[in-house]
Amino acid sequence: GIAPWGCVSGVEQLDVHGTNVIYNKPKTDEKDETPLEPNHAHFIFIDNDTKHEFGSELEFRSLFEKSISGNSFSLQNATKDKLQQAGNIPVVLVVIEGGLETIKKVHENVIKNKIPVLLLQGTGGCCDLFAKCYHLYNEYHTNVKSSDQTNEDPSTIKEKNEQIKSKLREKLEIIDNKLNPGSTMNSSIEQDGIDYFELIYACIERRNMFLNFIDLKAH
């Protein structure tokens, strides 16, 4: 796992050098802190002198993943032998639920680094928002394509696409860069001026081949 040092509960237990430690999960967590995931065998901690700021590890994680994956998932065709010769390691991001920081992470993986993402639909949060937007996007555009557009000018087509985008924003209940209380995500998370709908929409519109879904309710 890769975790921000300033957000780990009981992090003082780990502040040692040259020896092993046994990490004991604190009985109570402070606000904006979380214990280590016990199913991880190894951790890399990112310490940028901040405290209680989730997301400080995202830039390092992105660069690290891009470094080890190389061009494994570029749009160019590459044979298995070529990948092995180059020393590239295939990478995929698996998302279960997730919050606002996860939306940013998925966007960076898909748009910037071209790393595929597997989202578990039905776990809530980020996964369900992406799944809802993805399926509605395909549905709306299928309906538009089925209609006769041979005589429509580019401005009309662009207008229809913008209408679809507006409908999607309303369906996801993300209006004016904020999550409505009825949204599938926790609306109490403080906003930071980022339009999260735009991040989701960009992934689906520009890189939908990198988005994969498993619907847990269907299995």
Side-chain angles (χ1 to χ4, degrees), residues 31-198:
K31 183 180 179 181
D32 296 324
E33 288 187 358
T34 185
L36 295 178
E37 165 56 52
N39 294 311
H40 288 318
H42 298 79
F43 285 94
I44 297 176
F45 297 104
I46 307 304
D47 184 8
N48 63 348
D49 293 327
T50 62
K51 189 173 179 62
H52 299 163
E53 290 188 16
F54 286 99
S56 60
E57 79 286 3
L58 292 181
E59 182 178 1
F60 172 84
R61 180 193 290 270
S62 177
L63 293 173
F64 178 72
E65 292 171 349
K66 186 176 182 180
S67 175
I68 64 175
S69 67
N71 294 319
S72 295
F73 296 104
S74 68
L75 296 181
Q76 299 175 350
N77 292 326
T79 65
K80 182 178 179 181
D81 291 338
K82 288 183 178 180
L83 291 178
Q84 290 177 342
Q85 291 174 3
N88 295 332
I89 302 173
V91 174
V92 62
L93 173 66
V94 179
V95 182
I96 302 174
E97 190 182 11
L100 297 178
E101 290 296 333
T102 311
I103 294 177
K104 291 161 61 177
K105 173 61 180 171
V106 172
H107 178 268
E108 186 164 9
N109 270 257
V110 170
I111 298 297
K112 184 177 179 180
N113 298 330
K114 299 180 181 178
I115 292 177
V117 178
L118 175 62
L119 300 107
L120 301 189
Q121 181 180 345
T123 57
C126 167
C127 288
D128 285 6
L129 281 176
F130 262 97
K132 187 174 183 179
C133 188
Y134 179 86
H135 296 310
L136 286 174
Y137 177 91
N138 290 334
E139 177 185 333
Y140 292 158
H141 278 274
T142 298
N143 293 337
V144 169
K145 290 179 181 179
S146 63
S147 62
D148 185 11
Q149 298 187 51
T150 55
N151 297 323
E152 292 182 346
D153 57 75
S155 61
T156 302
I157 296 175
K158 182 179 180 180
E159 182 180 351
K160 286 188 175 182
N161 289 336
E162 287 299 321
Q163 290 174 353
I164 289 176
K165 185 176 180 180
S166 296
K167 287 173 63 177
L168 286 172
R169 182 184 288 274
E170 293 176 2
K171 288 290 186 179
L172 264 66
E173 299 176 303
I174 303 179
I175 303 174
D176 296 331
N177 301 349
K178 295 182 179 180
L179 297 171
N180 283 348
S183 172
T184 55
M185 292 186 66
N186 185 353
S187 60
S188 65
I189 300 177
E190 184 178 353
Q191 304 298 304
D192 52 11
I194 296 175
D195 189 335
Y196 289 94
F197 170 77
E198 287 290 346

